[in-house]
Amino acid sequence: MVSRVIPVDPFDLVIFGGTGDLARRKILPGLFRRFCAGQMPDDARIIGAARSDMDDAGYRDMVRKAIVEFAGKLACEDGTMNGFLDKLHYVPIDARGEAGWADLAKLVRGDVIRAYYFSVGPGLFGDLAERLTKHGLTDDTVRIVVEKPFGRDLASAKALNRDLAAHFDESQIYRIDHYLGKETVQNLMAVRFGNMLFEPLWNSQYIDHIQITVAETVGVGGRGGYYDKSGAMRDMVQNHLMQLLCLIAMEPPSKFDPDAVRDEKLKVIRALDPVDHHHIVRGQYGAGPDGADYRTDAENPRSFTESFIAMRLHISNWRWAGTPFYLRTGKRMKARSSEITVVFKDAPHSIFDAEAGRHRNMLSIQLQPNEGMTLDVTIKEPGPGGMRLVDVPLDMTFADALGPDAEEVPDAYERLIMDVIRGNQTLFMRGDEVEAAWAWTDPVIAEWEARNDVPKPYDPGSTGPDDALMLMHRDGRRWRDIRT
Ligand code: NAD
């Protein structure tokens, strides 16, 4: 089963920060894969703009190396690389000064789709917006793409929104959360709203609880300085986990349209109860076999920043009253795995003997490393051993369903960049959503700071602090195992 590729319209995509880590690891390899898939029109151009002094040839060389290192297994035939590299240009530019802007203005065309990707720190968003306007590079058709972190609290997020709103309409701003670009995340909406099977059961009457886990095996080494000022709450919960929570909990939008979807997501965030600190576990990883603990990696021997967080949340509305949501995320965990698990309630009455055991349906949505879904269904254990029940997963793993073409599933960045070119904002965060998420997050962080809360230590390679297990056990529940 190969997906149909529809080429997008001609465009100029300017990547500010086009020499940076994100551009080299994700954006450019992603664009290359779209080129190989035949989605890029002949008339598309990609313009790197950054501080380094180099010319087109130097940039093409840099991008070639990045693609070889980061593009993974390619569906591209030999020799196609040069076709892609020919589309690349480079302009040395200073976001805070005047250097390079006149050259960029000469290069960018006015009669094709224009998109500006701000792959730079948020401190430069306002400068870039201002200079794009000043140099006549904008009108109400251009699109801008901004990266996380979108603020570090409500006040800074509001300031960024104000800076951008001074130059662009909300319909022109694409705030990236790459989790929303994952195939399974979109499939979650397809499964919920495209089938009759699930939606009637999608409420507190039938669902016992929902778990969202985003576990990483890596520590913060290499970006410890940045991470230490952020922590898991700001770095993961406020954006990625909150977005997943919204998609799983939202009401059906009236249509699959950017504002209809985002209105419903916003309602979920606004219906979140303030979280009680008894329902939060913060953790910090201890020393692993390499001897480095979190504080060593963060280069801050007195750090109280959390590298793990688990919490129980409630959504105060008719659909979810009484159904808890358990969220957990951490660094240096036992496996790299992002998964949403919907645990249904027990059947109201068991007609089977006690030996049949207790069984529950579970829908599990894996986001990484292997995107797919499984639905645990209870059946009779085969054989003559009496009426014993077992849970069997109905597996909907995309790799299996797609067979040899599984690699063709685009990476989240590829999909999102093509959505920018197509002008579809459905999978991007709207300014009011981001602000609502910070408005919920800020008091939680303020309370830790007021109490000088010390995170609980946990062993690298584990599932986090024991208190996180207790958070579930207290409620008679348990986390699904973290597995790849
Ligand atoms: P980086 O430090 O590797 O690259 C920064 C880029 O910005 C470089 O190309 C540099 O030349 C350019 N730049 C810096 N100051 C400039 C100026 N005054 N004028 C013009 N260009 C300037 O950073 P990165 O890791 O690529 O991250 C870029 C943004 O993306 C950041 O906001 C980061 O938080 C976000 N982000 C990065 C990742 C990642 O995996 N690297 C993931 C998610 C979000």
Side-chain angles (χ1 to χ4, degrees), residues 17 19-22 25 50-51 93-95 119-121 124 147-149:
T19 59
D21 179 67
L22 182 67
R25 275 195 314 118
R51 258 192 315 204
I93 213 159
D94 181 7
S119 181
V120 295
L124 293 179
E147 267 297 335
K148 83 167 207 183

Side-chain angles (χ1 to χ4, degrees), residues 180-194 246-247 250-265 415-416 419 422-428:
L180 296 183
K182 290 192 178 290
E183 185 72 23
T184 19
V185 171
Q186 292 163 75
N187 233 320
L188 178 58
M189 287 190 274
V191 165
R192 275 193 67 189
F193 305 129
C246 286
L247 293 176
M250 71 183 184
E251 295 299 315
S254 58
K255 54 186 169 184
F256 192 60
D257 144 301
D259 277 327
V261 171
R262 298 185 303 175
D263 286 346
E264 295 306 335
K265 283 162 59 196
R415 178 186 313 277
L416 292 173
D419 276 359
R422 280 189 288 253
N424 185 342
Q425 286 185 304
T426 311
L427 301 175
F428 297 83

Side-chain angles (χ1 to χ4, degrees), residues 39-192:
Q39 202 170 10
M40 219 172 268
D42 289 343
D43 210 5
R45 292 193 315 181
I46 298 152
I47 301 163
R51 258 192 315 204
S52 317
D53 194 18
M54 61 173 101
D55 56 11
D56 286 356
Y59 191 57
R60 288 172 186 169
D61 197 42
M62 190 208 83
V63 175
R64 179 195 297 278
K65 288 182 186 136
I67 287 172
V68 169
E69 190 172 355
F70 298 117
K73 185 176 178 303
L74 297 174
C76 215
E77 286 166 21
D78 288 347
T80 323
M81 174 87 93
N82 288 339
F84 176 72
L85 296 177
D86 282 348
K87 296 189 171 306
L88 299 180
H89 301 271
Y90 183 79
V91 179
I93 213 159
D94 181 7
R96 293 218 158 102
E98 294 308 315
W101 287 94
D103 295 333
L104 187 64
K106 267 189 242 147
L107 198 57
V108 173
R109 297 169 294 176
D111 57 350
V112 294
I113 294 165
R114 280 170 294 166
Y116 300 108
Y117 199 128
F118 291 8
S119 181
V120 295
L124 293 179
F125 291 178
D127 296 290
L128 288 175
E130 215 175 297
R131 284 186 171 73
L132 282 169
T133 309
K134 181 175 162 190
H135 292 274
L137 283 153
T138 65
D139 59 23
D140 57 9
T141 66
V142 308
R143 292 147 205 182
I144 62 155
V145 186
V146 293
E147 267 297 335
K148 83 167 207 183
F150 200 84
R152 54 171 285 107
D153 53 20
L154 179 58
S156 53
K158 278 187 167 171
L160 284 175
N161 276 336
R162 260 198 315 272
D163 286 350
L164 296 176
H167 301 275
F168 306 100
D169 185 70
E170 180 63 34
S171 62
Q172 298 179 271
I173 304 170
Y174 291 73
R175 294 176 194 78
I176 289 233
D177 184 324
H178 68 271
Y179 272 66
L180 296 183
K182 290 192 178 290
E183 185 72 23
T184 19
V185 171
Q186 292 163 75
N187 233 320
L188 178 58
M189 287 190 274
V191 165
R192 275 193 67 189

